Amino acid sequence: MIRYALTRGALLLLGLFVASALIFLTLRVLPGDVAQQIAGTNGTPEQVAAIRESLGLNAPLWAQYVDWIGGVFRGDLGTSLYTGLTVTAELAEKARVTVPLGILSLLFALAVSIPLGVLSALRRGRADGTALSVGAQAVAAVPVVWAGMMLVVVFAVWLGLLPAQGFPRGGWSQPVDALRALILPALTIGIIEGAMLLRFVRSATLQAIGQDYVRTAAAKGLTRNAALIRHGLPNVGLSVISVLGLQVAGIVVGAVIIEQLFSLPGIGRMLVSDVGARDLPMVQGELLILTGFVLLVGFFVDLVHRLLDPRQREAA
Amino acid sequence: MLRRTALAATALFAASALVLAGCTASTGPGPTGATGEPDADASVAIRLVLEPGNLDIRQTTGAALDQVLIDNVYQGLVSRTTDQEIVPALASDWEVSDDGLTYTFTLEEGVTFHDGQELTPQDVVWSLQTRKDTPEWADSARLANVSSITADGQTVTLTLAQPDSSLLWNLTGRAGIILKEGDTVDYQTAANGTGPFVLEEWQQGASITLTRNDAYWGDAAGVGEVVFQYIAEDQAAVNAAAAGEVDVLTGFDPNLTEQIEQSGDWTVVLGTATDKSVLAMNSTAAPLDDQRVRQAIRQAIDHDAIVEAVGAGQTLYGPIPEPDPGYEDLSDTAPYDPEAARALLEEAGVEDLELTLTIPADYGTTIPQILVSDFNEVGITLEVDAVDFGVWVNDVYTNKDYELSYVNHAEARDFENWANPDYYFTYDNPEVQDLYEQSLRATDEAEADALLAEAARIVAEDAAADWLFNWAGVSAVAAGINGMPVDSVNARLNLAELTKSDG
């Protein structure tokens, strides 16, 4: 197990390193120049040159990369070219919106997908089961923006129950308002991610139903459903854990869009505006952290999966 | 000068033509109709489209910053009204010598900065001198003609090396902002000005909040708090309005008029603006180096159809829009006439012309579609290349690597770009440069304006570019809101007279 964790950990680090180089290089391919953007389209060439110099943009590419990655190892992700704030400080600030949003989205997704997925498998072949399965397929295909808009129209505009956009100015010092601000965005992501997960839960459940141990349990006198719930579901749970990594990636992507739509001051929204502004140190830091986070979730998912599933341990 | 806010505002133009039902044309401040007493401590939420990257008024350019901070938080010696008139601000009074070389300003007494420090004449001298001497600061070059800045008592004197008819105007903008000498405020995230509002909080990515400056030296602001909400998406903005979360929507898409009127007591107002949607033509290479080809393009474009499709604004046939000095109706320089356009192309010996239009992607497809079809009519194939704004800045603006491009130039009084052969317009005409120079050196306003008008006509007749239309700012204002500026809102947003009542 320890050997597995170490190998898997080494792979994680290698992945991060490759990602850092890719992020750095692809961003350099983007045309556009932060110095020009700060100076505006009325800036004189002298002004642009002075800004470039003061931002250290004249150094050769490899030197900039070494400088950046060296900083990363020291825990310093760099400094925004625009605001002069450190990337870590900005990320920590925005994470207060994005992390709760992600967790809430995941909870919604699980709350939707697990009971309904199991139900849809148990009801396979019947009208309600088919409706659930087709419905999930349809919901999973809905564009996030449209789903968010519909929820806003219903819950904010018609019913006036929840805010349509924004995050309270006091942040989490106003916990009720902060939570209320996150409900619609998280529901939007949660429903769509949940619909995708539902189909997965359904097929995992169907697979479990066909397993020998469920049949054996049923033969010992349990009803099919009881056998499934007692013996099959732990295995369904294992399968769900193994796709959680993918779900987290989906939620991160969803957050980028949803934070725009709901004017939430989170990492996703910051990423979009920083790309637009060509604030490369910020974008690099944000992407690296997000990539690292997704890779890390994958790493833990694999470890947990292995710990919980005796078959995998034996195979090692 | 091009402003990113204007880009975003232009991006709001939607796809279908419409008649603006229920829009009121207005030139004065804000719609009326409120009956209740204004609430002096009210909080007003205003939707803006584009958020500034940081708050550094010294260095970072862009209307997103001007909109929020100039007049409200920071002030100069002089300011401008939405009618583009120059009015007193920190200077109660000023005089210009007959030779146009000496500007004498009388400073207001008892002005304090938001942190309580007093504004001294030395702060004014320091601010202007530092601006002039620091090329990294925005609009530093606009003070190039100033040779000395001195203070004597409450009098500040600017001496010029040569007359500059644009100086006062320039002092209403970034070039004239007065800061506290040796201030330790972190300009990127905080502010310390002299205006009627204090910067309360910047929730990056969401909102900026200003609160009334109770120690303001002039008349106190009419509301207790203004919250600028940054909502890029139009539909999201309308939803926020319907849910009662905002009181004013700037950059309103006129196509959504009916929807917002259904959701409550809203007034959609049209304001004047100096936004010019410029179709730049790179004349450094064939066949666009031929005036006849450029003229053919101008005459191939149905400008009325564009205005109709956009839903607001008016046609514009030259480089100077109506609110600016030197404006003249130049519609005779490019009447819509596909027949004449075809003849001109034939005369120039151009056949099967293919051109590429490079535009920022946020501009939508309405105008490109009209252009493609208009061009097609006269035998020009137009390929549209919609790119990210950063790419546009790099390729078109910086490297001048384009054939046709259009962006919205929001800035008032920016004729200088036609007199600058290095600007991305690539227009190089010594006669125009000379006329512009003369206009700057003129000490008589009427003369300066006449020279500008003359230069503008030459630019239009040369078909240096085409001017697709002059955008009007559209805002939606909730009942009870008074004193909301409606003109030139893309450039400036002076909220000193804003009030809110329940009625």
Side-chain angles (χ1 to χ4, degrees):
Chain A
M1 185 63 202
I2 291 169
R3 209 177 121 214
Y4 173 78
L6 286 178
T7 333
R8 191 63 186 73
L11 263 176
L12 170 77
L13 284 181
L14 184 69
L16 260 181
F17 187 71
V18 171
S20 79
L22 275 178
I23 289 168
F24 184 87
L25 285 175
T26 42
L27 287 179
R28 292 312 179 283
V29 174
L30 276 182
D33 176 357
V34 66
Q36 183 69 64
Q37 297 216 17
I38 290 175
T41 45
N42 219 27
T44 57
E46 295 78 48
Q47 192 184 347
V48 176
I51 295 173
R52 282 189 71 84
E53 186 62 47
S54 69
L55 295 178
L57 293 174
N58 291 332
L61 218 52
W62 63 265
Q64 290 187 40
Y65 178 74
V66 169
D67 194 37
W68 175 55
I69 208 73
V72 170
F73 278 115
R74 291 190 306 272
D76 170 15
L77 287 170
T79 309
S80 164
L81 296 181
Y82 257 102
T83 62
L85 298 175
T86 65
V87 178
T88 32
E90 293 261 297
L91 278 168
E93 171 75 32
K94 308 294 179 208
R96 282 179 225 171
V97 174
T98 305
V99 170
L101 173 67
I103 293 173
L104 210 53
S105 306
L106 191 62
L107 290 180
F108 280 136
L110 291 174
V112 169
S113 60
I114 293 180
L116 293 184
V118 173
L119 191 69
S120 123
L122 293 180
R123 293 285 179 167
R124 188 164 71 135
R126 301 192 202 177
D128 49 354
T130 313
L132 265 178
S133 159
V134 171
Q137 198 130 9
V139 173
V142 164
V144 181
V145 173
W146 187 82
M149 212 58 102
M150 287 300 110
L151 287 175
V152 165
V153 167
V154 174
F155 290 100
V157 178
W158 290 353
L159 301 176
L161 289 176
L162 292 162
Q165 52 94 38
F167 196 66
R169 256 187 281 150
W172 288 102
S173 63
Q174 297 161 252
V176 176
D177 290 341
L179 197 63
R180 276 163 51 84
L182 291 183
I183 290 180
L184 286 184
L187 255 186
T188 311
I189 305 177
I191 288 175
I192 294 175
E193 289 295 317
M196 293 183 198
L197 201 54
L198 187 153
R199 291 157 60 204
F200 186 83
V201 171
R202 180 176 185 271
S203 63
T205 312
L206 284 176
Q207 218 178 350
I209 291 174
Q211 293 292 329
D212 290 344
Y213 57 83
V214 174
R215 255 187 290 159
T216 313
K220 283 181 174 166
L222 283 174
T223 63
R224 195 187 63 147
N225 285 358
L228 180 76
I229 288 164
R230 201 170 303 166
H231 300 279
L233 284 194
N235 279 299
V236 174
L238 273 181
S239 314
V240 170
I241 287 176
S242 69
V243 288
L244 275 188
L246 287 176
Q247 289 295 311
V248 167
I251 285 170
V252 167
V253 173
V256 171
I257 302 167
I258 228 66
E259 287 179 2
Q260 290 282 107
L261 189 67
F262 285 91
S263 302
L264 291 175
I267 295 174
R269 178 134 192 220
M270 175 167 71
L271 182 61
V272 173
S273 69
D274 288 338
V275 170
R278 294 291 183 270
D279 193 345
L280 297 190
M282 287 298 286
V283 180
Q284 267 161 222
E286 288 151 12
L287 286 179
L288 190 70
I289 288 294
L290 288 180
T291 315
F293 177 68
V294 171
L295 288 178
L296 206 62
V297 169
F299 172 70
F300 281 117
V301 162
D302 280 0
L303 285 194
V304 169
H305 200 207
R306 209 175 175 82
L307 270 177
L308 295 183
D309 189 347
R311 286 167 301 183
Q312 287 211 23
R313 257 176 295 170
E314 280 154 24
Chain B
M1 175 168 178
L2 169 140
R3 304 293 204 168
R4 290 206 60 203
T5 304
L7 287 177
T10 312
L12 302 172
F13 303 159
S16 65
L18 94 164
V19 181
L20 262 184
C23 283
T24 12
S26 167
T27 48
T32 51
T35 46
E37 277 292 299
D39 172 8
D41 293 321
S43 170
V44 176
I46 298 175
R47 178 260 184 143
L48 296 181
V49 178
L50 206 79
E51 187 180 15
N54 75 65
L55 302 183
D56 194 344
I57 198 78
R58 303 166 305 175
Q59 183 162 316
T60 306
T61 58
L65 211 49
D66 293 9
Q67 269 183 318
V68 171
L69 296 182
I70 299 186
D71 292 332
N72 297 321
V73 175
Y74 290 109
Q75 297 179 305
L77 293 170
V78 283
S79 184
R80 55 173 112 140
T81 64
T82 55
D83 301 339
Q84 316 295 320
E85 197 190 323
I86 295 167
V87 291
L90 291 175
S92 56
D93 208 346
W94 66 90
E95 256 175 55
V96 185
S97 65
D98 289 341
D99 60 4
L101 292 178
T102 312
Y103 286 65
T104 318
F105 297 90
T106 310
L107 266 187
E108 288 278 359
E109 305 261 359
V111 176
T112 52
F113 284 92
H114 295 156
D115 65 358
Q117 298 183 79
E118 206 179 318
L119 169 81
T120 65
Q122 173 54 27
D123 291 327
V124 177
V125 174
W126 176 84
S127 291
L128 298 177
Q129 190 68 49
T130 310
R131 174 80 52 177
K132 178 176 154 60
D133 296 341
T134 315
E136 293 100 301
W137 285 17
D139 290 354
S140 165
R142 292 183 185 271
L143 300 177
N145 288 318
V146 178
S147 56
S148 82
I149 305 160
T150 55
D152 178 20
Q154 286 297 101
T155 308
V156 174
T157 307
L158 271 62
T159 313
L160 276 63
Q162 53 182 339
D164 181 351
S165 64
S166 69
L167 181 70
L168 266 185
W169 172 262
N170 287 334
L171 288 177
T172 67
R174 289 295 179 87
I177 293 289
I178 305 303
L179 306 169
K180 183 72 192 170
E181 180 174 8
D183 211 338
T184 52
V185 65
D186 176 5
Y187 285 101
Q188 294 183 321
T189 53
N192 185 26
T194 55
F197 289 99
V198 178
L199 175 76
E200 174 75 20
E201 194 200 6
W202 178 22
Q203 195 188 37
Q204 221 180 336
S207 66
I208 291 179
T209 304
L210 306 182
T211 49
R212 179 175 43 225
N213 172 11
D214 286 318
Y216 185 52
W217 56 273
D219 293 336
V223 292
E225 180 186 75
V226 175
V227 184
F228 297 101
Q229 302 270 16
Y230 291 98
I231 312 175
E233 236 280 327
D234 282 338
Q235 189 61 51
V238 171
N239 289 344
E245 291 168 20
V246 290
D247 301 296
V248 177
L249 300 179
T250 69
F252 184 71
D253 178 352
N255 292 293
L256 298 172
T257 298
E258 209 173 299
Q259 211 188 99
I260 196 155
E261 283 174 348
Q262 270 171 7
S263 71
D265 196 359
W266 288 79
T267 313
V268 176
V269 283
L270 281 182
T272 60
T274 53
D275 298 47
K276 304 154 289 285
S277 193
V278 182
L279 180 74
M281 305 193 219
N282 189 341
S283 58
T284 56
L288 290 169
D289 57 351
D290 188 328
Q291 191 270 347
R292 291 168 299 189
V293 177
R294 300 195 302 268
Q295 182 67 25
I297 288 174
R298 291 198 70 193
Q299 294 199 256
I301 297 170
D302 184 352
H303 295 84
D304 292 314
I306 291 179
V307 171
E308 199 181 319
V310 161
Q314 57 179 1
T315 55
L316 177 70
Y317 291 90
I320 298 179
E322 212 169 333
D324 280 352
Y327 170 78
E328 180 183 6
D329 181 359
L330 293 170
S331 52
D332 60 316
T333 60
Y336 175 51
D337 189 346
E339 200 61 46
R342 273 190 292 267
L344 276 166
L345 287 173
E346 197 173 331
E347 198 187 314
V350 174
E351 264 178 70
D352 299 327
L353 183 55
E354 284 178 24
L355 293 171
T356 302
L357 173 70
T358 311
I359 57 165
D362 357 344
Y363 274 25
T365 53
T366 311
I367 294 178
Q369 275 166 4
I370 295 175
L371 292 179
V372 166
S373 114
D374 281 351
F375 279 40
N376 194 35
E377 187 80 1
V378 300
I380 303 173
T381 309
L382 184 65
E383 193 190 314
V384 180
D385 190 8
V387 297
D388 180 73
F389 182 73
V391 177
W392 183 89
V393 168
N394 187 65
D395 292 359
V396 178
Y397 179 78
T398 308
N399 296 332
K400 298 167 205 154
D401 178 15
Y402 74 102
E403 289 182 321
L404 301 174
S405 170
Y406 86 76
V407 289
N408 184 36
H409 288 255
E411 179 78 340
R413 308 195 186 189
D414 60 357
F415 185 83
E416 59 184 352
N417 295 330
W418 299 104
N420 175 8
D422 294 328
Y423 200 65
Y424 85 97
F425 292 157
T426 70
Y427 181 63
D428 186 0
N429 184 333
E431 198 187 350
V432 168
Q433 288 152 28
D434 185 47
L435 283 167
Y436 179 65
E437 179 72 18
Q438 283 183 45
S439 150
L440 282 182
R441 303 295 156 244
T443 49
D444 177 67
E445 206 175 304
E447 190 196 342
D449 296 356
L451 286 161
L452 271 182
E454 195 185 337
R457 175 166 282 279
I458 298 173
V459 173
E461 281 170 353
D462 272 346
D466 187 58
W467 296 271
L468 298 174
F469 71 106
N470 170 206
W471 168 241
V474 185
S475 312
V477 183
I481 300 290
N482 274 296
M484 175 69 201
V486 294
D487 294 323
S488 301
V489 288
N490 276 347
R492 291 280 272 268
L493 219 46
N494 184 339
L495 300 174
E497 285 170 21
L498 185 71
T499 61
K500 181 179 182 177
S501 52
D502 298 331

